[in-house]
């Protein structure tokens, strides 16, 4: 059974860079698509972007200028970096797996990141 | 503002049938299949329906999906209290080259 686990700081200062890592167990990261999704408090789910290790990452146009998603096959991990954060980036961040047809079939439990000084 | 439009809320009594709509455009629902997720507070979203009307193993047949043109619908029959959750449609958008979410529908079981 594939399992995903997000890790990273729960508190980030405004204007700094949010960095999260998703560790994948029970399967290889060298196949499938790997995504980041977030949910701000009281709002709906939003796709941040995805990556496949053979392809370039693809990002939500509204976040594209600030987002980088990368994959480390040696550690079976993929990562999210979101620069110049503001309070609007406060959210629960999820990592998830997709197969290209089913967008997200396995999810991490989510991690709350708060942007505050 | 979400690319896909869902009603913000829906409700029903136990045993009733409820339908949740998802409206899009030619670049998403009009040309790709629709997926539905159930999201309970504090948990990871769960895949309910994929490819318009397919249920993953373990999802009760009380849940069904359909699509017509640029709209889709999730139906829940025999409503139960444990169905109270947020429901999201998710579709690939050819113009954005990425997955897009509906705004979500909060289902209340009265």
């Amino acid at each position: 059974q594939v399992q995903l686990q997000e890790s990273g700081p729960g508190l980030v200062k405004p204007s700094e860079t949010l960095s999260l890592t998703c560790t994948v167990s029970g399967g290889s990261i060298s196949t499938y698509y790997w995504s980041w999704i977030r949910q701000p408090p009281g709002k709906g789910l939003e796709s941040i972007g995805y990556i496949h290790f053979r392809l370039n990452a693809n990002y939500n146009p509204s976040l594209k200028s600030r987002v980088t998603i990368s994959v480390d096959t040696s550690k079976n991990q993929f990562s999210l970096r979101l620069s110049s954060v503001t309070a609007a980036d406060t959210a629960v961040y999820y990592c998830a797996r997709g197969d290209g047809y089913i967008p997200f079939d396995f999810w991490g439990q989510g991690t709350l990141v708060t942007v505050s000084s | 503002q979400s690319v896909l439009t869902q009603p913000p809320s829906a409700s029903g009594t136990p045993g009733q049938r409820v339908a949740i709509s998802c409206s899009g455009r030619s670049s998403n629902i009009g040309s790709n299949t629709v997926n539905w997720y159930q999201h309970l507070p504090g948990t990871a979203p769960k895949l309910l329906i994929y490819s318009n009307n397919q249920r993953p193993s373990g999802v009760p047949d009380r849940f069904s999906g359909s699509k017509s043109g640029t709209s889709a619908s999730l139906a829940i029959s025999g409503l139960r209290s444990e169905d109270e959750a947020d429901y999201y449609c998710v579709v690939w958008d050819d113009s954005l080259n990425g997955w897009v979410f509906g705004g979500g529908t909060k289902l209340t079981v009265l």
Side-chain angles (χ1 to χ4, degrees):
Chain A
Q1 178 81 341
V2 174
Q3 292 186 318
L4 294 83
Q5 179 67 58
E6 305 90 351
S7 59
L11 180 64
V12 181
K13 291 183 168 54
S15 80
E16 294 190 345
T17 296
L18 178 159
S19 295
L20 295 174
T21 296
C22 183
T23 301
V24 179
S25 58
S28 172
I29 204 167
S30 298
T31 51
Y32 298 101
Y33 293 81
W34 304 95
S35 293
W36 288 98
I37 299 117
R38 70 180 183 179
Q39 182 178 36
K43 296 188 178 181
L45 296 166
E46 175 184 41
S47 176
I48 299 171
Y50 66 88
I51 192 168
H52 185 286
F53 95 106
R54 291 187 183 277
L55 305 172
N56 291 332
N58 179 278
Y59 305 123
N60 184 325
S62 69
L63 299 169
K64 188 174 184 177
S65 63
R66 299 192 292 128
V67 174
T68 303
I69 297 176
S70 58
V71 63
D72 186 339
T73 55
S74 67
K75 296 181 179 179
N76 232 38
Q77 294 176 334
F78 65 106
S79 299
L80 168 71
R81 288 174 57 87
L82 180 65
S83 64
S84 305
V85 297
T86 69
D89 295 309
T90 293
V92 175
Y93 286 76
Y94 296 95
C95 58
R97 189 192 84 167
D99 67 3
Y101 296 98
I102 298 174
F104 321 110
D105 54 0
F106 289 95
W107 296 67
Q109 64 185 23
T111 186
L112 173 63
V113 178
T114 301
V115 178
S116 174
S117 56
Chain B
Q1 190 170 348
S2 302
V3 174
L4 304 174
T5 301
Q6 295 182 235
S9 63
S11 63
T13 56
Q16 267 191 331
R17 180 183 183 276
V18 171
I20 296 171
S21 62
C22 176
S23 177
R25 59 187 71 164
S26 59
S27 62
N28 43 62
I29 296 179
S31 50
N32 297 294
T33 60
V34 181
N35 310 277
W36 291 91
Y37 289 82
Q38 178 190 61
H39 191 199
L40 296 163
T43 69
K46 172 187 174 183
L47 180 65
L48 270 186
I49 297 288
Y50 67 96
S51 296
N52 298 331
N53 55 18
Q54 301 299 302
R55 284 186 308 276
S57 173
V59 174
D61 59 7
R62 301 187 298 106
F63 295 91
S64 62
S66 63
K67 180 186 117 170
S68 178
T70 58
S71 293
S73 182
L74 171 71
I76 309 171
S77 60
L79 203 58
R80 298 184 175 185
S81 58
E82 58 259 39
D83 297 333
E84 190 161 286
D86 296 323
Y87 293 84
Y88 294 88
C89 53
V90 181
V91 184
W92 180 264
D93 190 293
D94 292 334
S95 296
L96 298 174
N97 199 32
W99 297 104
V100 292
F101 282 85
T105 298
K106 184 176 183 62
L107 175 63
T108 301
V109 181
L110 302 169

